[in-house]
Amino acid sequence: RIITTECLRRLGRSDIEGNSKMREVLATTLDQMNGGAEYVRLVKQLQLEHYYPQLLQLAQTKLGEQVGVEAITALLELKQWELLGKALQGEDTAAAIATADALGNSQNGAISGLLLPVVKNADVNIDVRRAAVKAASKAGNAAMELVKLVDEKTLDPELEQSVAAALHSAPSRDARAAAQRLFPLPPS
């Protein structure tokens, strides 16, 4: 399997698209990999669109693992905004929360455009919106967008405590400073 994987990595997408035998080998190899890091690399490198939902599922189910971060990062780098947006705003609350958590774990600046519409949308389940707040706080630009919502007084009051907690624990020093200004902690 290692040799087959290495051969597939050296091929381009056009080499595989034009060869039914290679597509068969690729499909078999990916099925045998069962969602590991090499699986993510191959799907990303070869831009295998019909495997993108499996990458999303991998990101949702392996939240605390490196392979989950690699899967969500691959989807972001492949600009799968529609797939990710649907997962965030879908009917399955657990999957939407897992998607938000996975996006936050990526700490990628691109998550802002996916998460902030969820935070602002009162029709989305409140738990999903809270997860989106927590995830957004992990990326500097998205955290500052949360600050902007509070400053402009356009944040849903139901989310204020979530935003306060998320910003106070944000990785960004600017976000933490803004949190202290907006939601001062009591003296200790």
Side-chain angles (χ1 to χ4, degrees), residues 73-84:
T73 300
L75 290 170
L76 289 167
E77 290 173 2
L78 292 164
K79 298 179 177 24
Q80 292 304 299
W81 315 130
E82 186 176 339
L83 176 66
L84 294 167

Side-chain angles (χ1 to χ4, degrees), residues 5 8 32 44 62-63 65-66 70-71 84 86 98 101 104 112 114 117 120-121 125 132 134 142 157 165-166 172 187:
T5 303
L8 289 169
Q32 290 172 352
K44 179 184 169 194
K62 305 279 186 182
L63 287 170
E65 298 176 34
Q66 183 63 31
E70 289 175 9
L84 294 167
K86 284 181 181 177
D101 290 345
S112 178
L114 290 163
K120 295 176 186 177
N121 187 345
N125 178 293
K134 182 180 173 189
S172 163

Side-chain angles (χ1 to χ4, degrees), residues 45-61:
Q45 175 190 339
L46 299 173
Q47 298 177 6
L48 303 170
E49 294 177 29
H50 57 283
Y51 286 94
Y52 293 170
Q54 286 87 345
L55 283 186
L56 177 58
Q57 186 177 19
L58 188 61
Q60 292 168 331
T61 58

